[in-house]
Amino acid sequence: MAVRRFKATKDNTITNAFKENLTTRGTGSNMGEADVLEVFSIYGQATTSSGELSRVIIEFDIDTLSASRDDGNIPESGSVNFYLRMFNAEHSSTTPTNFTLTVAAISQSWTEGIGLDMDDYSDAGVSNWISASQGVAWTAQGGDYLTGAADITSSQVFATGVEDLEINVTYQIEEWLNNNTGSYGFGVFLTSSLEDATTSYYTKKFFARDSQYFLKRPVIEARWND
């Protein structure tokens, strides 16, 4: 089997989690240059029914994939599969078990930002939970995603919680390569039922594109029989 990898060009963690005072939410915070990415849901921390969420947004250079196909380095549609791969980052906090992450295509352009603070959410900027870019809000807080077709959205179950993410995103990559939709990357987050659950799933972390561990950075992986 032949494999070719394409690295992420932008990634960020966006959140509506409370800051340390448990009063102010970090909805305007940016973590675009952090070396990890984080997905979680926290229930009942600030009040008995409060909810806090964190999602990942990530983008790849579709022009590079298209050029690679034009040059004959990856096969034509129908002869190649594309996988989104993100690699587990170990940490000292609790890792949830038995949860499902969803991957959905983002439906509008966004800015990565230069924030770093993933603890106190002190680095304000865009993109964030409210805004996709400077002066441009998401239509829905937490990001805008394509959810109209069943095969646009994929998911993966994490039994132990420390698994890597590996999801077939061939349909959406081919849509981007054929210019059928804008290529704005993917959102990665807990399923809606888990985000709304009265149980916390804290916390799942992946290495980001700025990680010092080169082989652990997120990629789109093209695979085909050679």
Side-chain angles (χ1 to χ4, degrees):
M1 176 173 288
V3 174
R4 184 175 289 269
R5 287 182 164 186
F6 300 87
K7 64 183 181 179
T9 53
K10 295 192 295 187
D11 60 19
N12 189 20
T13 298
I14 58 176
T15 187
N16 69 352
F18 285 103
K19 296 185 178 184
E20 190 175 4
N21 59 18
L22 295 183
T23 301
T24 307
R25 289 184 182 264
T27 52
S29 64
N30 175 270
M31 295 161 267
E33 287 196 0
D35 59 359
V36 295
L37 302 162
E38 185 172 25
V39 178
F40 63 70
S41 174
I42 304 174
Y43 179 77
Q45 178 176 230
T47 68
T48 56
S49 60
S50 63
E52 303 165 68
L53 301 174
S54 180
R55 296 173 174 176
V56 167
I57 52 177
I58 186 167
E59 188 173 318
F60 298 85
D61 186 357
I62 297 303
D63 288 341
T64 299
L65 272 80
S66 181
S68 188
R69 173 169 280 176
D70 291 343
D71 292 341
N73 292 320
I74 58 174
E76 293 300 313
S77 177
S79 298
V80 59
N81 288 312
F82 297 98
Y83 290 82
L84 172 62
R85 299 199 65 191
M86 298 171 64
F87 300 91
N88 180 65
E90 296 182 0
H91 54 83
S92 58
S93 301
T94 302
T95 301
T97 60
N98 298 316
F99 62 91
T100 303
L101 293 184
T102 292
V103 171
I106 299 171
S107 61
Q108 72 159 296
S109 62
W110 52 280
T111 303
E112 182 178 48
I114 58 173
L116 289 168
D117 186 1
M118 302 189 74
D119 297 315
D120 300 323
Y121 308 125
S122 62
D123 294 333
V126 289
S127 54
N128 54 50
W129 189 260
I130 296 174
S131 298
S133 57
Q134 186 65 44
V136 180
W138 298 111
T139 302
Q141 291 190 11
D144 299 330
Y145 309 98
L146 296 176
T147 57
D151 50 1
I152 290 179
T153 301
S154 302
S155 61
Q156 178 180 330
V157 175
F158 291 75
T160 66
V162 299
E163 296 93 339
D164 298 332
L165 182 142
E166 184 175 329
I167 289 183
N168 189 323
V169 292
T170 303
Y171 175 88
Q172 189 57 54
I173 296 294
E174 294 291 358
E175 286 288 284
W176 289 336
L177 289 171
N178 292 320
N179 296 313
N180 292 332
T181 60
S183 54
Y184 307 125
F186 296 103
V188 182
F189 41 87
L190 291 160
T191 60
S192 58
S193 61
L194 296 185
E195 286 193 336
D196 295 336
T198 57
T199 300
S200 294
Y201 294 88
Y202 183 86
T203 178
K204 175 63 175 177
K205 294 185 179 183
F206 298 100
F207 289 107
R209 77 182 192 94
D210 291 313
S211 171
Q212 63 178 313
Y213 303 108
F214 181 81
L215 295 179
K216 297 289 188 179
R217 296 173 182 174
V219 295
I220 292 294
E221 190 170 271
R223 302 177 188 171
W224 67 95
N225 292 327
D226 58 352

